[in-house]
Amino acid sequence: MDNTVCKKIDTVVFDFDGTVMNTNNVIFKSWQHTFNRIRGRDGDIEYIRATLGEPLEYSMRKTFPEVPLEESIRIYRDYHRDRFPDMIELFPGIEELLAALKAGGYRTGLATSRLRQTTYQGLGKYDLFRFFDEVITVEDVSRAKPDPEMLLTMLDRLHSEPETSVMVGDTKLDIGCANNAGVTSVLVGWSEALAGKTREDFTGNEVPDHIVGSPAELLEIVG
């Protein structure tokens, strides 16, 4: 972890998939279902892993150019929607972290590239709405991560400044979004998309300010 100390942090914004909620299983299975329906075989795991965090429309368009975009999205989402509630779980320590942040008076937000319906479904299942002051999904903005629109919109709603805010995520898109917005970027060490990476593995605007190995470590950065 980078030992640079962040001062006067008052706002913490989280990504959803792969950061707060372990949705990896349902995402991978939804992708394999789509590959089998369209191509009659499983997809390459590393290829699927590389799509984590991308807007679904973008991933489907580049992966299955041979079928109409609406068809590939429908196949994926029909499978995903029906299984989502039973195949997700909180990452260990996340609920305790969120409770500690709220108790400490931090402003908190959730900024996700996921659709509103399943985002709310996941938050509701684990009673997480009480921990977030604002929730923004891909349906609330016109430009996806790493464009800073989603994060800047969140900060505006929270009446927060980039210099006193932290964005926590699990993909290069999250880190790029934070860096583009002038917000301290934190990569989670339990990331499926970037498992085992260190700061030296990143370049340019994708270098995270910090990498945390556990939710509790985030408190050391914002405290």
Side-chain angles (χ1 to χ4, degrees):
M1 182 182 70
D2 178 18
N3 291 319
T4 302
V5 176
C6 297
K7 297 180 180 180
K8 300 180 181 178
I9 295 297
D10 58 24
T11 301
V12 184
V13 180
F14 292 86
D15 176 49
F16 183 76
D17 294 280
T19 302
V20 168
M21 193 74 65
N22 187 347
T23 56
N24 295 324
N25 191 29
V26 69
I27 289 173
F28 276 94
K29 286 186 178 296
S30 299
W31 267 103
Q32 296 296 25
H33 172 77
T34 308
F35 264 102
N36 275 283
R37 283 286 303 275
I38 295 175
R39 300 250 177 96
R41 59 172 176 79
D42 281 350
D44 178 75
I45 292 296
E46 290 305 314
Y47 177 86
I48 296 173
R49 182 173 287 113
T51 70
L52 294 176
E54 294 178 348
L56 186 63
E57 290 82 357
Y58 173 81
S59 299
M60 288 293 164
R61 183 178 287 111
K62 72 176 181 179
T63 304
F64 304 110
E66 69 271 29
V67 300
L69 178 62
E70 295 77 10
E71 180 180 349
S72 59
I73 289 177
R74 178 188 57 76
I75 293 170
Y76 179 98
R77 284 185 173 156
D78 283 352
Y79 182 96
H80 191 93
R81 181 186 60 250
D82 293 343
R83 293 158 180 81
F84 182 80
D86 298 326
M87 295 178 68
I88 61 172
E89 58 186 1
L90 282 177
F91 283 106
I94 285 293
E95 185 170 0
E96 293 80 2
L97 168 63
L98 294 173
L101 291 172
K102 291 302 290 183
Y106 292 92
R107 301 166 194 158
T108 53
L110 187 80
T112 176
S113 298
R114 176 174 287 277
L115 293 177
R116 186 179 300 114
Q117 178 184 358
T118 50
T119 299
Y120 281 27
Q121 194 173 31
L123 292 175
K125 177 178 179 179
Y126 290 97
D127 191 25
L128 298 184
F129 282 105
R130 58 198 167 107
F131 294 127
F132 293 107
D133 299 309
E134 290 286 345
V135 175
I136 292 180
T137 73
V138 70
E139 294 176 81
D140 299 310
V141 295
S142 58
R143 297 182 298 277
K145 302 172 186 175
D147 188 279
E149 180 191 5
M150 182 179 291
L151 185 50
L152 293 175
T153 300
M154 174 65 74
L155 298 186
D156 183 63
R157 291 186 183 182
L158 294 174
H159 305 290
S160 299
E161 299 297 329
E163 296 79 8
T164 58
S165 301
V166 166
M167 170 77 186
V168 186
D170 69 306
T171 71
K172 292 181 180 180
L173 299 178
D174 297 314
I175 301 308
C177 177
N179 291 340
N180 286 333
V183 170
T184 297
S185 55
V186 178
L187 175 67
V188 298
W190 54 94
S191 166
E192 174 73 22
L194 302 173
K197 300 289 186 182
T198 67
R199 292 183 77 247
E200 288 68 31
D201 294 316
F202 299 92
T203 59
N205 205 38
E206 295 175 345
V207 180
D209 292 312
H210 303 270
I211 299 178
V212 294
S214 69
E217 284 186 32
L218 183 64
L219 294 176
E220 300 175 18
I221 294 172
V222 303

